[in-house]
Amino acid sequence: MSPFLSLCSIVPDIAVGTKRGSDELFSACVTNGPFIMSGTSASTANGNDSKKFKGDSRSAGVPSRVIHIRKLPGDVTEGEVISLGLPFGKVTNLLMLKGKNQAFIEMHTEEAANTMVNYYTSVTPVLRGQPIYIQFSNHKELKTDSSPNQAAALQAVNSVQSGNLALAASAAAVDAGMAMAGQSPVLRIIVENLFYPVTLDVLHQIFSKFGTVLKIITFTKNNQFQALLQYADPMSAQHAKLSLDGQNIYNACCTLRIDFSKLTSLNVKYNNDKSRDYTRPDLPSGDSQPSLDQTMAAAFGSAPCPCALEGVYGDVQRVKVLFNKKENALVQMADGSQAQLAMSHLNGHKLHGKPVRITLSKHQSVQLPREGQEDQGLTKDYGNSPLHRFKKPGSKNFQNIFPPSATLHLSNIPPSISEDDLKLLFSSNGGIVKGFKFFQKDRKMALIQMGSVEEAIQALIDLHNHDLGENHHLRVSFSKSTI
């Protein structure tokens, strides 16, 4: 897939812009913060296991190597619980409180535990189809005894991390019905509730967190988007399945359903937007769409510089208005998934009374004019624009990518700006303000509702990065909320 968007019927005077983003898995999953535990400690739990726990008391929410997991399914295994921590580092201890549907895992370092909790703040972990809750424990370390139950838990920790889940003593492998001997490194992935497009690169980004991805093939079957993904080893496939099955890529949609494939290896003939062999970069792109490059161009309709609008869905790198068709432009995004997002969200929406038409371009990048070449200012380079919303890895912007709507999210509002000031500002371009409210807990943010989606799009283009004084530049994004 090209990182280029081709803009047709471009509307005049659109300025460069940015966006709040979505990174559920990504991206992209159900945002659900870590469960904040009440004062109840593990020592009050039912069952003998709880009596063995002698942790040091700490205040809830303070970083610790020990992580508290709640709302576990009743039949969950040690291996499944351990797999939650494996992508983030070594798991050194485990305490199962099955009577309370809870568990504690101890990571090798506090940094690994912190990374794990931060990740599951935006990605709701799911085991056996049930959402679970993860937070820092009140305890600094796990002090457990040498009872048979605890010995079995430690054996599960060691066997999972050594890759030997086939041990008969490992209840995790047996209970989960996964005899690791001969298990395939290939996963079959179905994406349900496909509200946003899911690309091959999106899958690679998500699944690479659990091991080396060798090959991916995507296809549509029974009106469902599906993929086959091959890891370098079965253990990586196991960890990915346990951690990602049932998760959402984007907020409340694009749900992953994962099973092991009967195939043990994939045969990829072409590297393009439908299939990829990461071990064979020399493969041809075949007859499919142009192979996906790190640069993307988009073809839009209606505006010489749709950067502010496109910037809501990705970082615009370059824009070229076509010389003989000045109502058309090429817009190069930072990568293919950003171009796909911009196309899926913006195509068909009206701007200046005309629908914007967006398609993926055959071009892989916008070429800047050579030195001395006459360009009439039709090509612009925004690679170093301060307005890029997605430069910073892990930015909250990745969690807030929404389709165009009549309600806009405003942020970075200085204390001196009143509701009337903002209403006047947003009605100054001819739009009608139908509603407004400041956030109750943070007056730097507000929601404003325009008369229509088209008016909201125009207001975002005109007013994103507007100077409000006191060194505050207004940030404007589409909101999923209503007033």
Side-chain angles (χ1 to χ4, degrees):
M1 179 195 302
S2 165
F4 263 102
L5 296 174
S6 163
L7 305 189
C8 317
S9 348
I10 296 186
V11 178
D13 304 327
I14 298 191
V16 70
T18 18
K19 125 184 182 183
R20 285 191 312 153
S22 158
D23 179 300
E24 281 304 84
L25 264 175
F26 216 37
S27 233
C29 305
V30 177
T31 52
N32 205 351
F35 184 89
I36 302 304
M37 183 165 124
S38 64
T40 308
S41 75
S43 61
T44 62
N46 293 333
N48 295 330
D49 286 340
S50 61
K51 297 175 183 177
K52 298 179 274 186
F53 188 71
K54 305 164 187 166
D56 299 329
S57 179
R58 288 166 65 88
S59 59
V62 177
S64 162
R65 289 196 300 129
V66 181
I67 292 170
H68 185 196
I69 306 171
R70 299 169 58 95
K71 303 287 187 181
L72 288 167
D75 55 352
V76 74
T77 67
E78 286 90 342
E80 288 172 298
V81 174
I82 295 163
S83 72
L84 294 168
L86 286 177
F88 308 97
K90 185 178 179 182
V91 178
T92 53
N93 207 345
L94 168 71
L95 175 63
M96 299 287 288
L97 303 178
K98 292 195 173 182
K100 296 288 283 184
N101 299 101
Q102 299 180 26
F104 292 84
I105 62 173
E106 180 184 273
M107 302 300 291
H108 181 60
T109 64
E110 190 173 293
E111 182 182 10
N114 196 44
T115 302
M116 177 178 172
V117 171
N118 285 340
Y119 177 75
Y120 288 127
T121 297
S122 58
V123 178
T124 303
V126 176
L127 285 179
R128 302 191 177 224
Q130 178 175 318
I132 59 173
Y133 300 91
I134 287 179
Q135 67 180 85
F136 287 116
S137 169
N138 289 343
H139 308 284
K140 189 174 181 180
E141 61 181 325
L142 281 179
K143 296 179 180 177
T144 53
D145 61 20
S146 56
S147 69
N149 284 348
Q150 192 54 36
L154 286 173
Q155 188 175 13
V157 169
N158 294 331
S159 62
V160 169
Q161 293 186 124
S162 66
N164 189 12
L165 275 181
L167 291 174
S170 174
V174 177
D175 291 353
M178 295 177 181
M180 292 298 291
Q183 180 178 291
S184 171
V186 179
L187 295 176
R188 181 173 68 94
I189 303 158
I190 297 175
V191 183
E192 296 179 347
N193 191 19
L194 191 68
F195 188 74
Y196 298 115
V198 175
T199 65
L200 184 146
D201 278 1
V202 167
L203 293 175
H204 184 264
Q205 184 175 343
I206 293 168
F207 283 82
S208 290
K209 294 177 181 178
F210 300 91
T212 303
V213 175
L214 301 183
K215 304 171 186 179
I216 304 177
I217 298 173
T218 64
F219 55 94
T220 301
K221 184 178 180 182
N222 300 328
N223 293 321
Q224 288 182 313
F225 178 82
Q226 302 189 29
L228 293 170
L229 183 145
Q230 181 180 343
Y231 276 106
D233 60 272
M235 276 306 301
S236 296
Q238 163 79 349
H239 295 162
K241 181 183 184 301
L242 289 174
S243 299
L244 297 177
D245 187 27
Q247 300 269 12
N248 295 325
I249 297 177
Y250 298 111
N251 201 12
C253 67
C254 300
T255 306
L256 294 171
R257 302 297 179 197
I258 305 172
D259 286 307
F260 290 104
S261 171
K262 294 179 181 178
L263 300 173
T264 56
S265 181
L266 298 179
N267 182 23
V268 175
K269 295 181 179 179
Y270 304 111
N271 283 340
N272 52 40
D273 62 325
K274 303 294 184 188
S275 62
R276 189 74 55 84
D277 185 339
Y278 295 93
T279 68
R280 293 283 311 279
D282 57 311
L283 289 178
S285 61
D287 298 326
S288 182
Q289 298 178 22
S291 60
L292 181 60
D293 192 84
Q294 275 305 98
T295 340
M296 242 166 84
F300 282 63
S302 218
C305 181
C307 309
L309 187 56
E310 308 313 313
V312 174
Y313 301 103
D315 292 335
V316 175
Q317 303 298 306
R318 296 175 183 175
V319 176
K320 181 180 182 68
V321 177
L322 303 189
F323 182 78
N324 293 323
K325 293 183 179 180
K326 290 189 171 59
E327 73 280 6
N328 288 260
L330 293 174
V331 179
Q332 179 179 330
M333 309 294 283
D335 60 43
S337 60
Q338 291 182 5
Q340 185 81 29
L341 274 174
M343 182 180 74
S344 64
H345 284 302
L346 297 176
N347 187 40
H349 279 283
K350 285 188 176 181
L351 193 55
H352 297 269
K354 296 181 180 179
V356 176
R357 300 299 177 194
I358 306 175
T359 60
L360 294 175
S361 169
K362 65 181 180 181
H363 300 286
Q364 294 298 304
S365 63
V366 168
Q367 297 299 319
L368 295 174
R370 299 188 193 92
E371 190 175 349
Q373 182 181 355
E374 182 62 37
D375 182 63
Q376 298 182 2
L378 297 177
T379 306
K380 299 285 186 182
D381 187 351
Y382 297 103
N384 295 317
S385 171
L387 300 180
H388 286 169
R389 305 188 192 213
F390 306 103
K391 271 186 176 178
K392 187 178 178 183
S395 165
K396 289 184 179 178
N397 291 333
F398 284 104
Q399 301 172 17
N400 296 286
I401 298 178
F402 304 112
S405 64
T407 305
L408 297 170
H409 179 278
L410 314 181
S411 60
N412 205 31
I413 303 169
S416 60
I417 297 295
S418 68
E419 176 178 335
D420 288 341
D421 292 330
L422 290 167
K423 283 182 175 179
L424 181 63
L425 178 64
F426 276 79
S427 59
S428 62
N429 64 354
I432 299 172
V433 176
K434 297 182 71 175
F436 181 94
K437 70 173 182 181
F438 279 109
F439 278 50
Q440 195 169 6
K441 295 183 179 179
D442 188 352
R443 204 183 169 280
K444 294 178 183 177
M445 297 192 292
L447 295 176
I448 190 165
Q449 185 176 343
M450 305 302 294
S452 66
V453 174
E454 184 176 356
E455 286 184 12
I457 290 174
Q458 189 61 56
L460 183 147
I461 292 168
D462 293 342
L463 297 173
H464 177 69
N465 203 45
H466 181 80
D467 190 351
L468 294 175
E470 303 177 41
N471 200 27
H472 284 67
H473 286 77
L474 183 65
R475 299 184 66 81
V476 185
S477 301
F478 296 116
S479 174
K480 66 177 179 179
S481 304
T482 56
I483 298 176

